Amino acid sequence: MISKLTMAALAALIAVPLVAFEESPVPQTANLQKMAARFAPTDIGADVSTLSPANRQVLAKLVEASKIVDTLFLRQAWAGNDAMHAVLVKDQTPEGRARLHYFLINKGPWSRLDHNEPFVPGAPAKPQGANFYPADASKAEIEKWIASLPEAERARATGFFTVVHRGANGGLTLVPYNVAYQGELTRAAALLRDAAGLTTEPTLKAFLTKRAAAFLSNDYYDSDVAWMELTGAIEPTIGPYEVYEDEIFNYKAAFESYVTVQDETETAKLQKFGGELQDIENNLPIDPKYRNPKLGALAPIVVVNEIFAAGDGNRGVQTAAFNLPNDERVIREKGSKRVMLKNVQDAKFAKTLTPISQIVLAPADQRALSFDAFFTHTVVHELMHGLGPHGITVGGRKTTVRQELKDTYSFIEEAKADISGLFAIQHMIDKGVLPKSLEQALYTTYLASTFRAIRFGVNEAHGKGIAVQLNYLIDQGGFIARADGTFAVNPEKIKDGVAGLTREIMTIEAEGSYAKAQALGERLGVVRPPVKSALDKMAAVPVDIEPRFTTADRLVAEANGQRK
Ligand code: ZN
């Protein structure tokens, strides 16, 4: 039980009468522990032994700056978070400890895996606009106010880097991030400048110097460009980026940080794949007139290992990859970069996909499960987004796949990248670019991984796209649903199934056929009984990981002179 004193403090803090939370009970110790156990604690780190002592110090400084980002994000997510955190920290009862633990995982008193159900007594419903808008402002009031602003002001109001406050006169007013978060940003900027002073790598020095300046000026353009130009072993991402936490408008950027180092082996592999893409395009199993004879430049992809993640980048389910920046002007001029977090994916694979495979695969097939196959497919999935139809002509009219497929675009495009990714890997195996030994691992691992994705639901694009593939391949015979509840790959039929679905989906894209896309989603983007029973057996399998940043801890201790 949470202590009486703490309860009173919480009630006073959130100004909710005690009866309110007595009437709506929140989870207690065992339940809180069960909720937290869905995130399997996992050590996350990387080999930094080849880095120079100066570069190890750079990483330590970046970790310190990231800890400030954690504090900042907590405040961005909800105005009451700081005070609630301070109260929770003081509660030493087992229930209090369990509650604090789960609060830290979620970065607030709402369970992100459970439709943001509150789990701390007295917590209000999660504010849709987070702490970016006044808690008492309605969407209509904010919209009306934005519409009344002169154009330049309106652009700032709908921009990434301002918060909306209620002024003394009761009206709404804009506050830029460098003012709203001045204390934290000043300290973070100082740490970035320290790190810039330590490194000899010019692109890293440029990014850190420019990002530190951006924290103080609120102008992120130069530093976003510098981030696109990073080439060294250390690959940091720190700043205000994603807008998901602003559930009213998706305008405001939440602070996050990823301190990472490049993975050399995978980076080399990526370069090899890059050289194969035109050949893959030329051999796509579609009408040759839909193939692109000259692929454009590839969007850059880097594969890294995570040392530390913070803020919006470390709440609830962990980020496995991200695509940044989001600033349209930078994207137009410099493009955007895909960063894939290999060690995080490896941890998810070990803690979630391996136990899932023990449910959905027969014991003999479990041996074929392979992280290398999984990760290769994940990387090729990203590359395949760049292949196949994009700019198309429908009835003589020039348009794009995205425009024509509207709300079906996301699941179709995700399914395309997955299924044509299998096709592309098979093509490279057949050419001898990749080893023949990968083949069995590829399909078996992919089969198991579909269940992991569908577990997150078929209402979002990725899950729906996966359900389409799983059901298509089961109907076609490439995957088999056995009577004992397990699933298997049929090596006689899987390649035809993969090519067939690649053809079907890419043809829908080439034709820009919204009706066919919708029909495919309705027919196959569903959870059928055999899949449902497999999912029902997964209740005890962790949903994700809770990272413990072991390398970061060591680097910070080292920098503080406490070598261990
Ligand atoms: Zn994708």
Side-chain angles (χ1 to χ4, degrees), residues 421-487:
L422 293 175
F423 173 85
I425 293 170
Q426 184 64 55
H427 180 74
M428 289 190 278
I429 291 172
D430 294 343
K431 266 183 86 177
V433 175
L434 286 170
K436 182 83 180 157
S437 59
L438 185 62
E439 206 174 279
Q440 195 202 353
L442 177 69
Y443 297 113
T444 307
T445 304
Y446 186 68
L447 169 58
S449 79
T450 60
F451 288 88
R452 178 174 162 264
I454 292 175
R455 237 184 135 194
F456 286 102
V458 294
N459 295 321
E460 55 76 57
H462 198 74
K464 188 168 182 176
I466 292 270
V468 166
Q469 297 168 73
L470 182 59
N471 288 322
Y472 179 98
L473 292 171
I474 289 173
D475 291 349
Q476 170 271 344
F479 286 157
I480 301 161
R482 291 207 191 96
D484 67 358
T486 64
F487 295 78

Side-chain angles (χ1 to χ4, degrees), residues 296-515:
L298 261 190
I301 297 180
V302 285
V303 179
V304 299
N305 291 303
E306 184 175 290
I307 304 280
F308 197 78
D312 197 31
N314 180 11
R315 42 110 183 123
V317 171
Q318 293 294 303
T319 307
F322 54 87
N323 212 46
L324 288 174
N326 291 323
D327 185 330
E328 292 292 342
R329 188 175 150 213
V330 184
I331 294 171
R332 266 198 313 276
E333 291 166 13
K334 295 290 293 186
S336 65
K337 179 165 75 181
R338 184 89 181 153
V339 179
M340 308 189 65
L341 302 159
K342 186 185 174 187
N343 59 341
V344 175
Q345 299 203 17
D346 200 353
K348 286 174 187 263
F349 182 90
K351 296 293 165 73
T352 68
L353 192 47
T354 302
I356 285 172
S357 77
Q358 287 156 4
I359 293 167
V360 300
L361 299 179
D365 292 336
Q366 284 164 32
R367 282 194 292 274
L369 198 76
S370 141
F371 176 68
D372 186 50
F374 174 82
F375 194 70
T376 300
H377 181 253
T378 309
V379 167
V380 174
H381 166 113
E382 295 307 331
L383 296 171
M384 293 312 290
H385 276 307
L387 273 64
H390 289 95
I392 55 172
T393 307
V394 177
R397 178 173 49 93
K398 285 225 177 300
T399 177
T400 63
V401 176
R402 185 191 290 273
Q403 265 174 37
E404 296 305 310
L405 296 191
K406 295 176 276 200
D407 57 297
T408 64
Y409 174 74
S410 298
F411 92 79
I412 288 281
E413 179 59 23
E414 286 311 316
K416 170 203 110 174
D418 275 336
I419 197 77
S420 69
L422 293 175
F423 173 85
I425 293 170
Q426 184 64 55
H427 180 74
M428 289 190 278
I429 291 172
D430 294 343
K431 266 183 86 177
V433 175
L434 286 170
K436 182 83 180 157
S437 59
L438 185 62
E439 206 174 279
Q440 195 202 353
L442 177 69
Y443 297 113
T444 307
T445 304
Y446 186 68
L447 169 58
S449 79
T450 60
F451 288 88
R452 178 174 162 264
I454 292 175
R455 237 184 135 194
F456 286 102
V458 294
N459 295 321
E460 55 76 57
H462 198 74
K464 188 168 182 176
I466 292 270
V468 166
Q469 297 168 73
L470 182 59
N471 288 322
Y472 179 98
L473 292 171
I474 289 173
D475 291 349
Q476 170 271 344
F479 286 157
I480 301 161
R482 291 207 191 96
D484 67 358
T486 64
F487 295 78
V489 174
N490 178 356
E492 307 295 314
K493 289 192 166 172
I494 186 66
K495 293 176 197 174
D496 283 347
V498 165
L501 184 57
T502 300
R503 180 185 174 86
E504 186 161 338
I505 288 180
M506 284 197 179
T507 304
I508 288 173
E509 291 199 336
E511 293 172 345
S513 175
Y514 180 72

Side-chain angles (χ1 to χ4, degrees), residues 39 104-107 112-113 314-319 544-547:
F39 298 90
L104 293 174
I105 288 177
N106 286 283
K107 295 264 170 27
R112 291 176 186 267
L113 281 184
N314 180 11
R315 42 110 183 123
V317 171
Q318 293 294 303
T319 307
D544 200 52
I545 58 157
E546 178 190 0

Side-chain angles (χ1 to χ4, degrees), residues 243-254:
V243 294
Y244 306 119
E245 201 70 12
D246 171 4
E247 292 177 71
I248 303 185
F249 297 108
N250 285 164
Y251 288 155
K252 305 303 171 194

